[in-house]
Amino acid sequence: MQTRAMPYFAFDHAKAAIAYYERVFGATNVYRLAPEAAQAKMFGLPADTDLTSMTMHAGFTVLGVQIACADAFQGHQEPSGQVAVMLDINGDDPTSVQAADDFYQRLVDSDEVTIDMPFVTQFWGDKMGHITDKYGISWMLSVSSWQKNSATTE
């Protein structure tokens, strides 16, 4: 079986959120689809709604992880502290490790996230940090040995 998990965020204004993730997180591979008239009707939107400013479905990539999103058509959404997006970087690959360090520094320099836990080596030996973005979404950044971790789970 082939399966993958993909975070899917609902925003009050996904178009603005996507611009934030491009600017602050360096998001790439961005795409965005506005709803069509039939979809707007299905969601009960007024006929004069500016559909070009709305997002039916969109996505972007952060450090190789695909993220999907849309406007919150069912109403305002609140993030839960119970769930975090964990970006686990292969610590056996120097290029990936450098990308993680650069990513964290980009977030710090942006002054547009809250650093909940600095990205440093932890007592168990992996490097990990935790941030919360301006939308209240929790992000964990981890660098661990994929080779070592896969050997212990087999």
Side-chain angles (χ1 to χ4, degrees), residues 7 9-11 13 16-17 26 28 41 48-49 56 64 66 72 79 86 114 119 128 137 142 146 148-149:
F9 303 147
F11 296 106
H13 302 286
T28 58
K41 185 176 181 180
D48 63 346
T49 300
M56 183 73 200
Q66 292 178 308
M86 182 172 173
T114 301
F119 183 52
M128 178 172 263
I137 297 171
S142 170
W146 288 10
K148 181 178 98 181
N149 289 342

Side-chain angles (χ1 to χ4, degrees), residues 7 11 24 46 58 60 86 89 98 103 106 109 121 140 145 153:
F11 296 106
V24 176
F60 53 90
M86 182 172 173
I89 308 303
Q98 185 62 55
F103 175 73
R106 177 187 187 113
D109 292 346
T121 302
M140 295 166 52
S145 171
T153 60

Side-chain angles (χ1 to χ4, degrees), residues 14-148:
K15 188 175 181 180
I18 293 165
Y20 167 81
Y21 289 110
E22 283 182 289
R23 185 181 69 256
V24 176
F25 284 57
T28 58
N29 303 322
V30 175
Y31 65 92
R32 192 180 74 80
L33 305 170
E36 296 176 0
Q39 294 162 328
K41 185 176 181 180
M42 180 180 74
F43 284 109
L45 300 174
D48 63 346
T49 300
D50 175 15
L51 299 181
T52 62
S53 68
M54 301 187 78
T55 303
M56 183 73 200
H57 178 68
F60 53 90
T61 302
V62 174
L63 287 181
V65 175
Q66 292 178 308
I67 311 286
C69 66
D71 283 338
F73 288 97
Q74 272 75 38
H76 178 72
Q77 300 292 306
E78 290 291 330
S80 166
Q82 184 178 7
V83 177
V85 177
M86 182 172 173
L87 303 174
D88 186 37
I89 308 303
N90 183 357
D92 304 317
D93 175 43
T95 302
S96 296
V97 171
Q98 185 62 55
D101 289 337
D102 293 346
F103 175 73
Y104 179 73
Q105 193 59 53
R106 177 187 187 113
L107 295 177
V108 169
D109 292 346
S110 77
D111 203 29
E112 293 189 63
V113 300
T114 301
I115 305 298
D116 303 307
M117 182 174 85
F119 183 52
V120 297
T121 302
Q122 302 298 326
F123 67 90
W124 63 87
D126 295 343
K127 192 171 185 181
M128 178 172 263
H130 183 274
I131 66 103
T132 303
D133 69 27
K134 80 179 230 171
Y135 296 98
I137 297 171
S138 294
W139 296 80
M140 295 166 52
L141 182 60
S142 170
V143 172
S144 63
S145 171
W146 288 10
Q147 184 177 16
K148 181 178 98 181

